Amino acid sequence: SGATACFFISSGIAGLGVAALIERYDPRWVITCGAIVSAIATLGAGYVSELWQLYLFYILFGAGYAGAALIPGTTLVARWFARRRSVALSIASTGLSLGGILLTPVAAGLIDRWGLQATTPWLALGFVIGIIPIAWLLIRPSPQSLGLGPDGDPIKRDESGAVMPADGIDYHDAIRSRFFILSTTAFIFAMMAQVGVIAHQFRLVALRSGSDETAALAVATMAFASIVGRLAGGWALSFIPSRRFVFALVIGQGLALAFYSVAETPFALFCATILFGVTVGNLLMMQPLMLAEAFGLKAYGRIYSLSQLFMTAGVAIGP
């Protein structure tokens, strides 16, 4: 538990530096460095034999994750999309759930067959191959780098013909605002509950159903519901204000948690799992979306990374 908490703390702190680098340099370099650090940490996981090495692995992996995952990903999507940002974020973030569904069984099977030490080099190689070529072949730093504005619109210029800077609020004004403070506080508690349930879901379902197979199916069902819910939520946000939508998500997840507390049969447990899963992915998506809507793109990366740092407290405490 302590090592896992170190992962979240490391990723939160490293995220502040990652956001600052993304504002100044091409995000592809940051993603590349994050992937390399993550691959090195993964490679070393097979040789962990002491407690301090376990902590070091999680700290390194957390720093690499910060450079290769949510912060650069959401920042790039926010730069490229404005009118359909919610749909774009929902599609982009499905990778988190799809990775859990498709890649985790493969990794577990390889570890069972070959052992951890023999498997980690292949996992590290997959990390590099799966991220770095895609970053350089398919990603561009911003629409302005191709002479476009967000959504592919014509680029905005001032009267002199110079490219207009990104709209938005200054970093220091944004982080002192009531919206930033209260929304970040709300997401701390949301993540505390959400990650706490995810961490203990398998055991809860296994004990009440008497079957590890049922528990494994419940975990997969939650991940699938998360993907479907996130895609549906991205579409629904084209018609529903963000704050009403996030209120509905919080109420829905609260009902799911209450349902978990009384569900005893497999059917009831799966009903709770589906309701919970639908809200999980959407809540993760709503934080970067609401921050982009509230503060614009001028200092988005740094604003999101600071909010994410505070959220790691809830993520670490929840389990």
Side-chain angles (χ1 to χ4, degrees):
S1 297
T4 305
C6 283
F7 166 82
F8 292 116
I9 294 169
S10 172
S11 64
I13 294 173
L16 299 177
V18 167
L21 290 172
I22 287 173
E23 286 191 2
R24 297 181 60 186
Y25 304 107
D26 189 327
R28 292 176 293 184
W29 286 110
V30 179
I31 293 170
T32 298
C33 292
I36 291 172
V37 171
S38 297
I40 291 171
T42 303
L43 182 63
Y47 301 92
V48 169
S49 60
E50 302 288 341
L51 185 61
W52 68 268
Q53 295 171 345
L54 179 68
Y55 278 79
L56 179 62
F57 158 71
Y58 274 103
I59 291 170
L60 284 176
F61 192 71
Y65 177 83
L70 285 175
I71 293 173
T74 56
T75 300
L76 284 164
V77 171
R79 287 178 181 179
W80 276 92
F81 296 90
R83 290 189 296 271
R84 304 297 301 278
R85 185 176 289 152
S86 61
V87 176
L89 276 173
S90 68
I91 294 172
S93 58
T94 54
L96 291 170
S97 300
L98 280 173
I101 293 174
L102 301 177
L103 300 182
T104 302
V106 174
L110 292 175
I111 291 170
D112 284 341
R113 180 178 297 179
W114 297 343
L116 185 62
Q117 189 169 333
T119 301
T120 49
W122 295 101
L123 298 179
L125 181 64
F127 212 108
V128 171
I129 293 175
I131 293 177
I132 295 177
I134 291 174
W136 288 97
L137 290 173
L138 301 180
I139 291 175
R140 296 295 177 267
S142 66
Q144 288 78 13
S145 66
L146 296 180
L148 300 169
D151 299 311
D153 293 340
I155 196 167
K156 293 181 180 179
R157 301 180 183 273
D158 59 22
E159 295 178 355
S160 66
V163 176
M164 295 182 66
D167 295 333
I169 297 172
D170 288 333
Y171 172 75
H172 294 290
D173 293 332
I175 64 174
R176 294 187 181 98
S177 68
R178 183 177 64 179
F179 181 87
F180 178 85
I181 294 170
L182 294 181
S183 64
T184 298
T185 302
F187 275 103
I188 289 172
F189 284 98
M191 291 301 104
M192 189 184 301
Q194 181 166 291
V195 178
V197 171
I198 291 172
H200 296 288
Q201 181 197 25
F202 181 92
R203 180 163 175 78
L204 182 144
V205 176
L207 286 174
R208 294 190 182 176
S209 67
S211 169
D212 286 350
E213 289 77 13
T214 301
L217 181 59
V219 172
T221 300
M222 182 194 70
F224 181 76
S226 174
I227 295 173
V228 175
R230 189 185 288 120
L231 293 173
W235 170 81
L237 281 165
S238 302
F239 311 98
I240 304 171
S242 296
R243 285 201 281 187
R244 290 184 184 178
F245 186 70
V246 82
F247 283 144
L249 288 176
V250 172
I251 292 170
Q253 190 162 119
L255 290 173
L257 303 191
F259 197 9
Y260 265 132
S261 70
V262 297
E264 296 289 345
T265 65
F267 177 77
L269 289 166
F270 273 96
C271 288
T273 295
I274 292 170
L275 178 58
F276 177 70
V278 166
T279 65
V280 164
N282 277 309
L283 269 178
L284 284 173
M285 177 183 72
M286 288 307 298
Q287 187 210 15
L289 179 62
M290 293 181 74
L291 291 175
E293 288 181 352
F295 302 118
L297 300 181
K298 185 176 182 179
Y300 170 79
R302 286 193 293 161
I303 294 168
Y304 174 61
S305 66
L306 183 63
S307 181
Q308 186 80 358
L309 173 61
F310 287 118
M311 272 181 54
T312 58
V315 171
I317 293 169

